[in-house]
Amino acid sequence: MLPGSPSLPLDSRERADRDYSRQYNDDFVSRWDELIDWDKRAAGEGTFFSDLLLKAGACRILDASTGSGFHAVQLHKAGFDVTACDGSRTMVERAKANFNSRGLRIPLVCRDWRDLERAQLGTFDAVLCLGSSLCHVFDSQDRIDVLKRFRSLLRPGGVLLIDQRNFHAILEGHFSSSGRYYYCGKTARVTVGELHESLCEFVYTFAEGVTYRLRVFPILPERLRTEMFLSGFGELKRFGDFRHVYDPLRADFIIHQARA
Ligand SMILES: C[S@@+](CC[C@H](N)C(=O)[O-])C[C@H]1O[C@@H](n2cnc3c(N)ncnc32)[C@H](O)[C@@H]1O
């Protein structure tokens, strides 16, 4: 049986691991932007995503795991027609506050990926699932179902962009959170707790000693590539920390690009 495949009934710990909306509780979400540091994150990724989207001829974008809205804001400011979506009510509230405080009117939907059709969002040129979000789905078949849903929202030839922390390096004992990309804030230390081929626990320790934990499935890059392929995507490309050429044991994040 492949790790992450549906098998025995889940115990309560495993059920809690899969309940992402409980992991993103009010306290943790209230500190999410501190964890990101929007200015440093914007500097770290530069125009990587907008360049890829422009090159792909994309205009209408779904930011499917918007969290507190970082990419929705960056891409809206860059001129794209962005819809933001997330399944966590607390994250959506945070994103709404971020849009309002910047005077931005960005359509925002609270919806789990398993229930995206009912939101009747229409068709997009690109779907983004960024910030290492898909790893909240533990089962391979469930991820394939989510990827198929993303595909059904794309026009033929539309682009999917998904990134993940570099779980290959992490499982090889090379966890690094360089602080240069994605989660750039300096007030929290990120370490890895429980770790094996079916679980990766990130521990966020803030200056005053408060800790939060995210428990996710460590999707290996090759595995995600296979799942994207099985979901009907083609023209798969990979980047490490926004570069074509990268060290697979040193990159913090792996970004996957594919076409519907
Ligand atoms: C690690 S956060 C990333 C947030 C944001 N993209 C960023 O980079 O800051 C993962 C996000 O994915 C969302 N998420 C996880 N599983 C989801 C699901 N099944 N449906 C909808 N959203 C989900 C969570 O609520 C959370 O906001």
Side-chain angles (χ1 to χ4, degrees), residues 203-241:
V203 185
Y204 301 82
T205 308
F206 284 84
E208 67 281 21
V210 183
T211 60
Y212 303 93
R213 288 161 197 274
L214 283 182
R215 290 165 64 90
V216 299
F217 181 80
I219 314 172
L220 294 173
E222 273 312 314
R223 186 182 186 124
L224 180 53
R225 193 183 160 81
T226 303
E227 291 172 356
M228 288 165 90
F229 183 68
L230 291 173
S231 315
F233 285 98
E235 293 184 40
L236 278 59
K237 287 186 191 159
R238 231 163 27 201
F239 305 85
D241 291 344

Side-chain angles (χ1 to χ4, degrees), residues 36-57:
I36 292 180
D37 189 326
W38 282 40
D39 291 338
K40 284 199 191 129
R41 186 171 181 175
E45 66 183 44
T47 56
F48 176 81
F49 290 111
S50 51
D51 288 348
L52 276 188
L53 292 167
L54 282 175
K55 207 166 152 196

Side-chain angles (χ1 to χ4, degrees), residues 20 24 32 36 41 63-68 70-71 86-88 91 111-114 130-133 136-137 182-183 214:
Y20 67 94
Y24 292 103
W32 194 255
I36 292 180
R41 186 171 181 175
D63 181 14
S65 61
T66 200
S68 60
F70 174 81
H71 282 109
D86 200 282
S88 152
M91 278 296 196
R111 192 65 69 162
D112 189 282
W113 300 325
R114 288 162 292 191
L130 300 178
S132 207
S133 301
H136 282 291
V137 183
Y182 288 83
Y183 301 110
L214 283 182

